Structures are given as C-alpha cells and as structure tokens.
Amino acid sequence: MFSILRINAATGEIKREQENSKEYLLGGRTLSSRLISREIPADCDALGKKNKLFLCNGALSGTTVSSCNRLSIGSKSPLTGGAKESNAGGIVGTRMASHGLRAIVIEDAPAGDAPWQIIVIGKDKCELVDGSFLVGKGVYEKSDLLCEKFGKKAGCMTIGPAGEKLLLATGIACSDPHGVCSRYAGRGGLGAVMGSKRIIALVLLNDGEVKPDFADKEMFKAGSKKIVQLLRENPVSSLFTKYGTAAMVDICQSLNVLPTRNFTRGTMEGAEKINAQTMYDIIKERGGEGLTQHACMQPCAIQCSNVYPRKDGSLLCSPIEYETMALMGSNLCVDSLDVIGTMNRIANDAGVDTLDCGAAIGVAMEAGLAEFGDGDAAIQMMEEIRSLTPLGRILASGVKIAAKVLGVRHAPHVLGQALPAYEPRGSKGMAMTYLSSPMGADHTFGFTLRDEDVPTDKEGKVALSKKFQVIGSRMDAMGMCNFVRYSVRDDMTPLLDLMKALYGVSISAEEFDDFVKETLKFEHQFNIDAGITDKDHRFSETFYEEKQPETGEIVDITDEEVNQAMSW
Amino acid sequence: MFSILRINAATGEIKREQENSKEYLLGGRTLSSRLISREIPADCDALGKKNKLFLCNGALSGTTVSSCNRLSIGSKSPLTGGAKESNAGGIVGTRMASHGLRAIVIEDAPAGDAPWQIIVIGKDKCELVDGSFLVGKGVYEKSDLLCEKFGKKAGCMTIGPAGEKLLLATGIACSDPHGVCSRYAGRGGLGAVMGSKRIIALVLLNDGEVKPDFADKEMFKAGSKKIVQLLRENPVSSLFTKYGTAAMVDICQSLNVLPTRNFTRGTMEGAEKINAQTMYDIIKERGGEGLTQHACMQPCAIQCSNVYPRKDGSLLCSPIEYETMALMGSNLCVDSLDVIGTMNRIANDAGVDTLDCGAAIGVAMEAGLAEFGDGDAAIQMMEEIRSLTPLGRILASGVKIAAKVLGVRHAPHVLGQALPAYEPRGSKGMAMTYLSSPMGADHTFGFTLRDEDVPTDKEGKVALSKKFQVIGSRMDAMGMCNFVRYSVRDDMTPLLDLMKALYGVSISAEEFDDFVKETLKFEHQFNIDAGITDKDHRFSETFYEEKQPETGEIVDITDEEVNQAMSW
C-alpha cells in the first residue's frame, strides 16, 4: 500500500489515503501526470483554487539504488498553460519515503492576501504553521532559517521572492544533502503555483522511520550493485562523472547548436572559456569548497553535480549545469564562468529558472537594453529579478512574455517555455522534441542529439524523437535521474528487476512502456482540453524564416510531423 | 469600379487594382474582414511579414451624408491573436475617397532595423519617403511635423513611440478636421502592426479631385437630409449631441456597471464628479478652446466629441470619451476630470489605447504599485508609458500580459483585449457580447445595455446579444459611425436608399444583413484557424468565482451559450 497525504491550503484540512495500484507503485511522472489528468480541470486558471500541486517520489525512493530519488512535481503550468512535470534531485523524495509517503497533494487556495503558511510533516503529524518569517527573503536565507527551525536534515521545499509574487518563470527549490534548497524543479512556473496557494515552504522532518520492506532483499542488493556497475561502465555517464553536464559545451559548439546571441547562432567565439575543461581547471585551481564531482542526492554513482567556488575558494554556486552555462553564457555572448556562476546564484536565490531567465535576458539584449557580452549588465538584470523591479518582473515572466513586452519577435520558446541549450535549426531531432513535448520546449523529453547522423536533416526525426521520448520518459516514469537512461536504454531489465525485488510485483518491459506511452497520451489530452492547439506547438516564426548562419538551416518541420511525433 | 492601392513595405513596390463587387461597394468592415480572411494566413505572426494592414473607407465616404466617413482598419491583431477591425473618425476616409480609393493595403515587412518610411499618396503619385524625422516623437509633435510638411488638410495616420516599439496596446492615430492626429483606431495593437512594417506615417495629400458620381443626385440629397432628421429626432443621439458619450457615467452607475477598482465593483463613490454634467459645466465655465460639442469628422449631425480645456482655457484633450472616463477614472477610483484628461492626452501622445492602458493601471494598483484613487500616480504611470520605461512597457502590453507580469489574477479582458466600460457581472448582455466578439472584449460589437430588462439575468441574452451584434455590425459594415445605429435599428432603408442613389445598385435589407452575418463568420473562422478556442472566449476565472458586491452576481454564462452567440 502507498500513502498519499492531501493538504487543503484554504481550509487546512488534512487527509491520508491509501492506494495500491501500479501507478502508485511506479510513482514519479507516471503518477503525477495521472493525478493532473484526473483531478485538475484542464481549463482552470493555473494560479486559481482549482489547480493542485502533486509531489510524487519514485518507485525505488528511499532505497540504496543509485540516482533513484528524484522528486516529480506535477501541476497545471501557468507558464505553458498545459500539463507540467518538473523533477528535482535533493532529499525530499527520500524523506517522503521515510514517512511512508508516495505522494503529497496540495489543493485549493486561500485568498490572495491570506497569511503565508508552512506545511510540516513529521512522524506523527502534519500541520500548517506560520510562514511569515520567511516572506520576501531569498532562497539561501530561507534555507538557513528552515534548517535552524527544522534541522539540517529535514527535507525542505521553498520558493523565492519571485514565486511569492506569482511570476511565471519561477521554480520550487528542494533541499540538497547539505540542507541548502538548491535543487530546482525549475521549469513551468511551479513556484508561482505554490505561491498562489500561500504555501511558502514544505518541510519533511528527519524523524521518519519507514524502511523499505523488500520482497527479496538479496535480489535487491545484487540489482542495486548492477546499476552502479552499469553507470560506471557507460561512457556517457562516466564522462558526466568527471566533467558534469558541462561536457556538452564542446559537443554543442562542434555541432553548431550552442545557443548564441539570443538563439540567432549556434557557435560562440571563445566558447572554450566556458567549457568543461576550463571549469574543471578553475575548480581544481581555486580549491576551497570547490568540487568537480558532487552528488545532488544520495546515493548516486554519477555525481555529475559540482560546487563552483569564488576566487577565495568559498562556494559561489552549486551546481552550475550546462543548460545554464549556455542560456546565461553563450546565449548572451558572456564568456566568463564567474559571471555565469554569479547569475546562477542570484537565480537560485530569487527562485527563478535559469533557462527561462537567461533566454529573457537574451531577448532584452536584442531589444537593446544591454550589449551582448556585457556580463555586468547581465548580472545587473538578474539583480533586478531578485529585487522585483519592473524590468526584473518582465524577465521573470518567461521569454514569450518578455519578448512581447520588449518588442522582440525572435523569442526562443515553445508553449511559452524557453528553449533549452540546443539551437533547433542545427538539430532537427532536438527541434522535433521541443515541438512535440507536452511540457513546452524540453531537452530531457527526448534527447536525440547524440544519435543524429545528420543533425540538420529532418529525415527520420519523427521516429528518432519518439524513440527517445520513450527512453527519456521511462526515467521520469519511475523517478530515476535522466542520466541513468544511457545505461538501460536497450534493456530496462535491471530496473524492472529492482522493482520486483522490492515489491514482489512483476512489470514487463512492454507493460512498463505502455505506462510511459499512456502517460504521454494523458498529458497531450490535458493540453488539448486546456485549449492548446497545433498552432502553439511551434517556434516563433523567425525560426522558420531566418537561416542559422553556420548551417544555412531554418526549421522546416511541419505541423503534420509534429502531430505524428505527439501521437501515441 | 473601386480602386485599391497595394504598397509593399519591404520592396517599395506599388500597385493599383480595380474591383467592382458589392464587398468593395460596401467597404468598411465588410471589406476589411474579407481581405483579412482572404489574404492573411491566420496562423502567422501578427508582427511578421505575412500580416497585412488594410485601410478601407465606407460605402458613402466622400459624400455629404452625416457620420459616414469612418475609416476601417483591418489586420491580424498582435493583442488578441485573431482578426481585428478597429475604426476611427477623422478625415482619412474622406481623403481616400477624394483620391478615388476604397482600400489601401500595406503588405510585407522589411527587416526590424530598416529605415522608417512614410507612405505619401497624392493625385498622381504614391511614394515611400524618409520618415526618420518623426522617429521617437510623440503623436502631437508628429502631427505638427506632418502638417508642416504635407499641409494641415492632408489626411494623416501615424503611430506613437509605443507603436514604434511594437507594444501590443498601441493604436493608429488619424487626422481630425484640424490636422491633429487624435482620432484613434485604438484597439487590438494595430499601431504595432504598422510599426512592424516600419511605416511611421501615411499621408493622403489634400489634392484629390475625385468626386462622387451619383446615380441619382436628387434622391441622394433627399436621403442625406433624412439621415440628419433621423439623428436629430432620436433621443439617444440627441443626448450625445449635448453631453457626448459622457452621458453613460450616470446610466452605468445607476445600473451597477460602472467599472470601479479594477473591475471589482460596479459603482464608484463620487461618480458625479466625473459625470456628463460636471464635464459640461467645467467646459462651459473654463471657456477658451473648450467645446461641449465637436465633430470628429465632416459632416456630422451628432457631434458627440468634445474639447476639454485646461484651467487657462487651452486645449488639454479632444475628445474625452466615456470609455476613457471609466477606464482611467472610476476603474482607478480617480474622480477628477483633469486627471483623466491629462492621462488621455498622454495616451494619445504615446500612441496607446486608453482602455487597455487604463485597465492595466487598474491591475498595477491592485498589485500595490499605487493606491486606488491616486491621480498623480496614475498620471505618472502614463508618463512611464510615454517614456517607455520597463513599467511603461508592461502597462502598454495589454492588461492580460500586465496582469501576468504583475502577479494579478483578476485581469479584465477577453482574448487579451481589455473590457470596455461595462462591468460584465452587472450586465449579462454586455458580458455575452464581450465573450462572443471575434475582436476580444468590445462594447460596440453588440450594445445590449439599453435593451436589457433585467441586466443581471442571463436569460435571453444570447438572442439579445446576437440581435445587437447585427445592428452594431451593420454600421461598421459600411463605414458609418456606430451612433447612427439608434436611428436605423428597425429600418435600414434610409441608408440602403443612399447607396442606391449613389451607385445605382439595389441592396435589400436581407442581402445587407447576409453580408453582415457572413462577415462575422469570416472573422470567427479566421480566429479558429489562428488557434483561438472556446477556452479563450472567457473572462478571467475570478469573474466566475467572486461576486460583484452591489448585485451579488458572478458571470454565469457557459461556453455553450457563448458558442451559440458566435454561431451564424
């Protein structure tokens, strides 16, 4: 049996329910997207009382399996207007497991000026307590205050000042293993949804006593070791172990897909100044708190995260991911990791998504508000976001809105969500994935880039995107880290065996993929019911008209092809 | 035969075409909406090269018939994403007639940084000339410069600084009879469309020699007199002659539909300080340039416009309309006509719609950026629009976007266009009209308020709205002022006879209404093709959930009823 905690943010009512179906067994996006589909009226205001926020851990959460503790957060997105799943590392999923929880549901919403509250979940309690002491503070300070009050080992979620103000490019920050809320479910405006419910934090105390009840403990131990072995042997995940996702800078530069100058180009002069080797060398040279390898959750055999130090060795930001290096770096023609790290830190503190805000700053630069390459101006814009000035609000409202307000047509987004760090004219596989995702532009949704023979050719990319939509979604579907997929893409047995050893329930590879595909169907149907049409599954018109300088390519993908890539 | 001038804003190519069908005979919205439907790909970027701008005068343009010289401007709206017709008084329609033109089409678009151009149309020429001397200037200064260069009697259209920056709540300003571009096609962001084509002004020189060629001149003269007589006899239009549209303040206050405090209420304490009598008394008392009666075009027997003077008698703003008095007055709890007039003047100078910007300021006040009732703060916000500060850009981006950026859920709009000055919970007829208009919320589209027995009751309002959709659209359909409708709502013969006397072509009342209804069909179909769905034809969720204090009413209209009101 799996436990679900329902908390009504308006009335304070709290209910605990029990479920026993396979969707609860799998958890993750399998569960969160089904709950969205079942419980949220698709056409509601995402910031109104009919929306809900679903927090789901995954099938293997709370066990010793590597990289299994992602937290899946589901809701209707105020940014895209559709179904949203955004997942984060950190320890919240683990703490939920230790309280015997598969899902937490935050329902309803009080008046917009109601007092802020904190949901506190412990061994024998769940209560709403006063959250006013957190209001208006940055996420780093909120983290400190939460640790002080609830202990460093509590699993916390909070939002930044931008989320309190219901801005659309805001995320939810989750505790990392050191008690810092730095692990973001960043995409889709979930911070604003949490803010709209006047919930400023959720805390899972470190007093949970529920332990996994293995059907076959020996089998589980062996299976768990097998995963570590697979991850270590895999060339992609082992590369990430050394360099983190920063390894993508050189790869993307060489493939003409490194977003540059507000996504008008796919290569950046001086890209080597912000690549993985440079980052590695800086971290090693500065020492101090810097780490080239770091785990966002326990346990993890990949440890792709990092800790980027200031010149004096003190922590500037953890982690700096490739996506941020591109959106806040190359996309702005900024070639300094210190600038990118500073921007990333401010974004984490303000509670905003680094991708959406980086893209919005790119648009602001195109509008002439600053010169491309001006790192000080870029940092200043992030400070405006943190201070919630009018310009800051524009930049934290998502790149689609920012572009309209700033009078820029070349707005890099699909469904209002900023394009991740792969220039779509250079990779038709990634373009297909962006266009056909129910979540708005999302690279994790179907990462084709490593498997495209001719990235600029759209031939065969419907099928390729769909293949990787399944491979990527399998990980979300059970709450695994996306980077595990490289090790099991041809054979899911190692993970399916672990579920069998834990629960004594057999799920075949076919049955599992049926869950994955059915999840996609639910998400797409939700979006249709919400009023999203084919016309929304497009890039800005400029991507179809203006050639990428390096390749001479435009986006040549048709609505029909996108529809094929969305049909399951 | 009717002449059409096509101007390619990118290549400079100019073509003159001839047409002879009844849609060209009728002109106005009959023509502009058909051209939209036929020539604009519905799914294009409204600020891209595929969009077009259609300027059409009406069937009786250039004649001596009262109130027949409205200019219909059609395009895809960047504000609503759908078909847009916005019409304006002034002399542009008349000048087009004197050059023998029924329509001017501005096509294509150069690069976003191409030089600004002016289209100059004269007796023997049409050319694109340098417009750089106008760039960045306010509309009043632009008017002066255009008069200086092209003469005070030229018919000019221009945009303000906000239109140059492609902001979405911008309009196109047309010359009034005194050479001031103060007659706005204000709604739907047409200023941004003109700006996207890098056309900063269009000038029709006063050297046209084309005169009407009457089929039956005597019949026409008699018919023309008949219209004046009907207008003078009609109680509504004769009330407007004395008080202008300001007469609506008291009516709306008494019906609980005067938008107040960001559309949360339908009555304003102190409404009498901004009503028609107060305005009349101030204008009379101050004298100087002030006029309680004034014609926006020649000839006009209604003369509902006014000239509102400063304390020293100099012109502050002409005209101040009821819609502005409500959106920039009661909606902000501002009870000073001087403040409203000042805001209106700044709006005219910046080139923005007073309704959309007034509504956006209401939202900004709800967000806490200023207190309701603070006139100085409201003027300051208008100054920010004129100066194009970040806050100014937010406020000039339409109330839907402004509300998202400022974190306010109660956003008074349909399809992104701000609600006009009738609080929809207090009048279910007006609510039905707002919801079912293809143009976004629009009061002229089907003005039910005067004919609702019980305004708060939705019973029968589908039929009532549809009845007035036809009555209102008849006027647009042939380029007549909307206020003529009161005189011909039960019998269109006087206007149909005039067309017969001018062209020798009989159009029956049935045939005419078929044109009107077919126009509506074209507009709705365009919107569907553009990706607009049922879900967009709604108010913000708060209007369905929160009761209007005066009446206890919510909006209780269903999607099905809206669909009925949109079916022709």
Side-chain angles (χ1 to χ4, degrees):
Chain A
M1 292 295 273
F2 302 95
S3 288
I4 305 97
L5 200 57
R6 286 187 185 269
I7 299 143
N8 186 304
T11 65
E13 192 189 358
I14 291 162
K15 282 193 291 194
R16 208 169 170 118
E17 297 168 357
Q18 303 289 320
E19 295 282 353
N20 201 21
S21 60
K22 280 185 183 163
E23 65 196 38
Y24 282 87
L25 186 160
L26 289 167
R29 186 165 135 205
T30 303
L31 182 56
S32 60
S33 285
R34 277 171 179 69
L35 291 172
I36 289 170
S37 169
R38 204 174 291 153
E39 300 195 14
I40 301 174
D43 57 353
C44 75
D45 179 354
L47 300 179
K49 57 176 68 174
K50 292 177 193 157
N51 200 9
K52 300 187 181 187
L53 201 58
F54 301 106
L55 320 176
C56 303
N57 60 11
L60 303 175
S61 241
T63 72
T64 54
V65 174
S66 176
S67 325
C68 72
N69 277 307
R70 300 289 291 188
L71 178 71
S72 169
I73 309 186
S75 192
K76 174 167 177 173
S77 165
L79 183 73
T80 69
K84 172 55 63 184
E85 193 259 5
S86 187
N87 60 64
I91 63 170
V92 172
T94 315
R95 290 288 172 278
M96 283 175 64
S98 73
H99 288 293
L101 291 171
R102 172 64 84 230
I104 298 171
V105 185
I106 307 177
E107 309 185 328
D108 209 341
D113 56 356
W116 287 98
Q117 301 194 91
I118 303 173
I119 298 170
V120 182
I121 299 165
K123 193 170 50 159
D124 305 313
K125 69 172 183 186
C126 173
E127 58 186 10
L128 288 157
V129 304
D130 174 45
S132 57
F133 66 102
L134 297 174
V135 174
K137 298 189 162 51
V139 167
Y140 288 107
E141 191 181 349
K142 281 185 171 119
S143 288
D144 289 343
L145 292 166
L146 288 166
C147 281
E148 213 170 277
K149 198 172 169 81
F150 300 106
K152 212 166 173 172
K153 294 285 174 196
C156 300
M157 285 172 37
T158 189
I159 56 176
E164 293 173 28
K165 293 294 183 187
L166 310 185
L167 298 181
L168 301 189
T170 53
I172 296 177
C174 303
S175 304
D176 72 6
H178 319 289
V180 184
C181 294
S182 63
R183 299 293 151 176
Y184 264 93
R187 309 227 73 188
L190 298 179
V193 176
M194 190 159 147
S196 72
K197 304 199 175 299
R198 306 294 281 181
I199 299 298
I200 201 159
L202 179 145
V203 178
L204 290 137
L205 299 174
N206 186 33
D207 61 358
E209 293 173 346
V210 178
K211 297 223 178 321
D213 180 18
F214 298 102
D216 184 338
K217 196 161 184 178
E218 289 312 308
M219 181 182 172
F220 195 86
K221 275 167 84 175
S224 186
K225 273 188 198 158
K226 169 89 175 165
I227 297 293
V228 174
Q229 185 199 337
L230 287 170
L231 291 172
R232 296 228 164 113
E233 284 169 359
N234 186 277
V236 179
S237 37
S238 57
L239 183 70
F240 281 179
T241 300
K242 176 162 186 193
Y243 287 120
T245 56
M248 293 307 297
V249 174
D250 286 347
I251 297 171
C252 290
Q253 171 86 347
S254 71
L255 290 172
N256 302 307
V257 297
L258 183 71
T260 302
R261 196 176 270 271
N262 186 32
F263 278 86
T264 56
R265 306 182 58 89
T267 53
M268 178 204 187
E269 207 175 315
E272 71 284 356
K273 291 187 203 163
I274 59 167
N275 72 2
Q277 191 61 51
T278 302
M279 180 184 259
Y280 186 90
D281 293 345
I282 289 175
I283 295 174
K284 288 293 187 197
E285 186 195 318
R286 291 184 179 172
E289 294 184 68
L291 290 172
T292 58
Q293 255 181 272
H294 174 254
C296 78
M297 60 168 92
Q298 298 293 357
C300 179
I302 308 177
Q303 308 207 9
C304 68
S305 173
N306 53 37
V307 179
Y308 188 87
R310 298 189 182 88
K311 281 180 186 157
D312 66 5
S314 66
L315 185 153
L316 175 61
C317 188
S318 173
I320 303 180
E321 300 280 4
Y322 165 64
E323 300 295 327
T324 304
M325 294 162 78
L327 270 292
M328 293 189 154
S330 58
N331 190 45
L332 311 179
C333 304
V334 163
D335 61 4
S336 154
L337 287 170
D338 285 348
V339 170
I340 294 166
T342 302
M343 294 174 72
N344 196 343
R345 183 180 181 86
I346 300 170
N348 289 357
D349 202 37
V352 295
D353 186 42
T354 54
L355 279 67
D356 276 284
C357 292
I361 293 175
V363 156
M365 286 180 165
E366 183 161 329
L369 273 64
E371 294 290 318
F372 282 103
D374 185 342
D376 291 340
I379 290 171
Q380 181 51 36
M381 288 194 200
M382 288 306 304
E383 288 290 3
E384 299 229 16
I385 291 176
R386 178 153 60 182
S387 321
L388 296 166
T389 66
L391 178 59
R393 286 173 186 250
I394 294 167
L395 299 173
S397 292
V399 68
K400 180 180 171 185
I401 285 181
K404 283 183 192 285
V405 175
L406 299 174
V408 171
R409 290 182 60 229
H410 192 64
H413 74 89
V414 177
L415 291 189
Q417 184 165 288
L419 303 187
Y422 312 89
E423 212 286 280
R425 294 170 298 185
S427 162
K428 298 295 162 53
M430 295 307 291
M432 192 73 78
T433 288
Y434 291 167
L435 289 167
S436 55
S437 162
M439 304 289 164
D442 185 346
H443 58 299
T444 67
F445 178 64
F447 195 85
T448 58
L449 190 65
R450 290 176 183 278
D451 291 77
E452 295 187 64
D453 291 334
V454 186
T456 51
D457 190 349
K458 73 169 179 172
E459 196 64 34
K461 297 299 164 67
V462 169
L464 193 71
S465 176
K466 291 183 85 166
K467 175 179 169 184
F468 284 97
Q469 287 179 31
V470 172
I471 290 172
S473 298
R474 279 177 191 154
M475 299 300 102
D476 296 349
M478 56 180 291
M480 297 297 291
C481 169
N482 202 268
F483 292 154
V484 177
R485 75 181 188 279
Y486 296 110
S487 304
V488 292
R489 60 184 262 187
D490 299 321
D491 179 12
M492 277 288 286
T493 315
L495 289 172
L496 300 172
D497 281 353
L498 278 166
M499 288 194 277
K500 188 173 178 192
L502 176 54
Y503 298 111
V505 175
S506 283
I507 297 177
S508 71
E510 292 68 30
E511 189 184 1
F512 184 72
D513 278 0
D514 286 346
F515 269 107
V516 168
K517 291 171 191 168
E518 198 185 44
T519 302
L520 292 173
K521 274 192 202 174
F522 280 127
E523 291 165 350
H524 285 300
Q525 188 58 50
F526 183 89
N527 285 6
I528 291 166
D529 295 343
I532 292 173
T533 74
D534 292 2
K535 311 296 186 296
D536 299 303
H537 284 275
R538 291 188 188 166
F539 297 103
S540 299
E541 195 171 88
T542 44
F543 284 92
Y544 299 89
E545 291 179 344
E546 292 165 18
K547 290 178 183 170
Q548 194 199 39
E550 293 88 348
T551 59
E553 288 289 321
I554 56 166
V555 174
D556 51 0
I557 295 169
T558 65
D559 283 358
E560 200 186 337
E561 287 160 340
V562 175
N563 270 321
Q564 288 167 14
M566 296 200 292
S567 297
W568 292 100
Chain B
M1 292 295 275
F2 302 95
S3 288
I4 304 97
L5 199 58
R6 285 186 186 271
I7 299 143
N8 186 304
T11 64
E13 192 189 359
I14 290 160
K15 283 192 291 193
R16 210 172 168 115
E17 298 168 359
Q18 303 289 320
E19 295 282 352
N20 201 21
S21 60
K22 280 184 182 164
E23 65 195 38
Y24 283 87
L25 186 159
L26 289 167
R29 185 166 135 205
T30 303
L31 183 54
S32 60
S33 286
R34 277 172 180 68
L35 291 173
I36 289 170
S37 169
R38 203 174 292 152
E39 300 194 13
I40 301 174
D43 58 353
C44 75
D45 179 354
L47 300 179
K49 56 177 66 175
K50 292 176 193 158
N51 200 9
K52 299 186 181 187
L53 201 60
F54 302 107
L55 320 176
C56 303
N57 60 11
L60 303 174
S61 241
T63 73
T64 55
V65 174
S66 176
S67 326
C68 73
N69 278 307
R70 299 289 290 189
L71 176 71
S72 169
I73 310 186
S75 193
K76 174 169 178 172
S77 166
L79 184 72
T80 69
K84 171 55 61 183
E85 193 259 4
S86 185
N87 59 66
I91 63 170
V92 173
T94 315
R95 290 288 174 277
M96 282 175 63
S98 73
H99 288 293
L101 292 171
R102 174 62 86 231
I104 299 170
V105 184
I106 307 177
E107 309 183 328
D108 209 342
D113 57 355
W116 287 98
Q117 300 193 91
I118 303 173
I119 298 170
V120 183
I121 299 165
K123 193 171 51 160
D124 306 311
K125 69 171 180 186
C126 174
E127 58 186 8
L128 288 158
V129 305
D130 173 45
S132 56
F133 66 102
L134 297 173
V135 176
K137 298 189 162 51
V139 168
Y140 288 106
E141 191 180 349
K142 281 185 171 118
S143 288
D144 289 344
L145 291 167
L146 288 166
C147 281
E148 213 170 274
K149 197 170 170 86
F150 301 106
K152 211 166 173 171
K153 294 285 175 195
C156 299
M157 285 172 35
T158 190
I159 55 176
E164 294 173 26
K165 293 293 183 187
L166 310 185
L167 297 181
L168 302 189
T170 53
I172 296 177
C174 302
S175 304
D176 72 5
H178 319 289
V180 184
C181 294
S182 63
R183 299 295 152 175
Y184 265 92
R187 308 226 73 188
L190 298 178
V193 176
M194 190 159 148
S196 73
K197 304 197 175 302
R198 305 294 283 180
I199 301 297
I200 201 159
L202 179 144
V203 178
L204 291 135
L205 299 173
N206 187 31
D207 62 358
E209 294 172 346
V210 178
K211 296 224 179 320
D213 180 17
F214 298 102
D216 183 338
K217 195 161 185 177
E218 289 312 307
M219 180 182 172
F220 195 87
K221 274 166 85 174
S224 186
K225 274 188 195 157
K226 170 86 175 166
I227 297 293
V228 174
Q229 185 199 337
L230 286 170
L231 290 172
R232 296 228 164 112
E233 285 169 358
N234 185 278
V236 179
S237 36
S238 58
L239 183 70
F240 281 179
T241 300
K242 179 165 183 192
Y243 287 120
T245 55
M248 295 306 298
V249 174
D250 286 347
I251 297 171
C252 290
Q253 171 86 347
S254 71
L255 291 172
N256 302 307
V257 297
L258 184 71
T260 302
R261 196 175 271 270
N262 185 32
F263 278 85
T264 56
R265 306 182 58 90
T267 53
M268 178 204 185
E269 207 174 316
E272 70 283 356
K273 292 188 202 160
I274 59 166
N275 73 1
Q277 193 60 52
T278 302
M279 179 183 260
Y280 186 90
D281 293 345
I282 289 175
I283 295 174
K284 287 293 186 197
E285 185 197 318
R286 291 184 179 173
E289 296 183 65
L291 290 171
T292 58
Q293 256 182 271
H294 174 254
C296 78
M297 60 168 92
Q298 297 294 356
C300 179
I302 308 176
Q303 307 206 8
C304 69
S305 173
N306 53 38
V307 179
Y308 187 87
R310 299 189 181 88
K311 281 179 185 159
D312 65 4
S314 65
L315 183 153
L316 175 61
C317 187
S318 173
I320 303 181
E321 301 280 5
Y322 165 64
E323 301 296 329
T324 303
M325 295 162 77
L327 271 291
M328 293 188 155
S330 58
N331 190 46
L332 312 180
C333 304
V334 162
D335 62 2
S336 155
L337 288 169
D338 286 348
V339 170
I340 294 166
T342 303
M343 293 174 72
N344 197 341
R345 182 179 181 87
I346 300 170
N348 289 357
D349 203 36
V352 294
D353 186 41
T354 54
L355 279 68
D356 277 284
C357 292
I361 294 174
V363 156
M365 286 179 164
E366 182 162 329
L369 274 62
E371 295 290 318
F372 282 103
D374 184 344
D376 291 340
I379 290 171
Q380 181 52 35
M381 288 195 200
M382 288 307 303
E383 288 290 4
E384 298 228 16
I385 291 177
R386 179 153 61 183
S387 320
L388 297 165
T389 66
L391 178 60
R393 287 174 186 248
I394 294 167
L395 298 172
S397 292
V399 68
K400 179 180 170 185
I401 285 181
K404 284 182 191 285
V405 175
L406 299 174
V408 171
R409 289 183 60 229
H410 193 63
H413 74 91
V414 178
L415 292 187
Q417 185 165 286
L419 303 187
Y422 312 90
E423 212 285 280
R425 292 170 299 185
S427 162
K428 298 295 162 56
M430 295 307 290
M432 192 73 78
T433 287
Y434 291 166
L435 289 168
S436 54
S437 161
M439 304 289 165
D442 184 347
H443 58 298
T444 67
F445 178 64
F447 195 85
T448 58
L449 190 65
R450 289 177 183 278
D451 291 76
E452 295 187 64
D453 292 334
V454 185
T456 51
D457 190 349
K458 74 168 179 173
E459 197 62 36
K461 297 298 165 67
V462 169
L464 193 73
S465 175
K466 291 182 86 165
K467 175 180 170 184
F468 285 97
Q469 286 180 30
V470 171
I471 290 172
S473 298
R474 280 178 189 152
M475 299 300 101
D476 297 348
M478 58 181 291
M480 297 297 291
C481 170
N482 202 269
F483 294 153
V484 177
R485 76 180 187 279
Y486 296 110
S487 303
V488 292
R489 59 183 262 186
D490 299 321
D491 180 12
M492 277 287 287
T493 315
L495 289 172
L496 300 171
D497 282 353
L498 278 166
M499 287 194 277
K500 186 173 180 191
L502 177 53
Y503 299 110
V505 175
S506 283
I507 297 177
S508 71
E510 293 69 31
E511 189 184 0
F512 184 72
D513 279 359
D514 287 344
F515 269 106
V516 168
K517 291 171 191 168
E518 197 184 45
T519 303
L520 293 173
K521 275 193 204 174
F522 279 127
E523 292 165 350
H524 285 300
Q525 188 59 50
F526 183 89
N527 285 7
I528 291 167
D529 296 343
I532 291 173
T533 75
D534 293 2
K535 312 296 187 297
D536 299 303
H537 283 276
R538 291 189 188 165
F539 297 103
S540 300
E541 195 171 87
T542 44
F543 284 92
Y544 300 88
E545 290 179 345
E546 291 166 18
K547 291 177 182 172
Q548 195 198 39
E550 293 87 349
T551 60
E553 288 288 323
I554 55 166
V555 174
D556 52 359
I557 295 169
T558 64
D559 283 358
E560 198 185 340
E561 288 160 340
V562 176
N563 270 322
Q564 287 166 14
M566 296 200 291
S567 296
W568 293 99

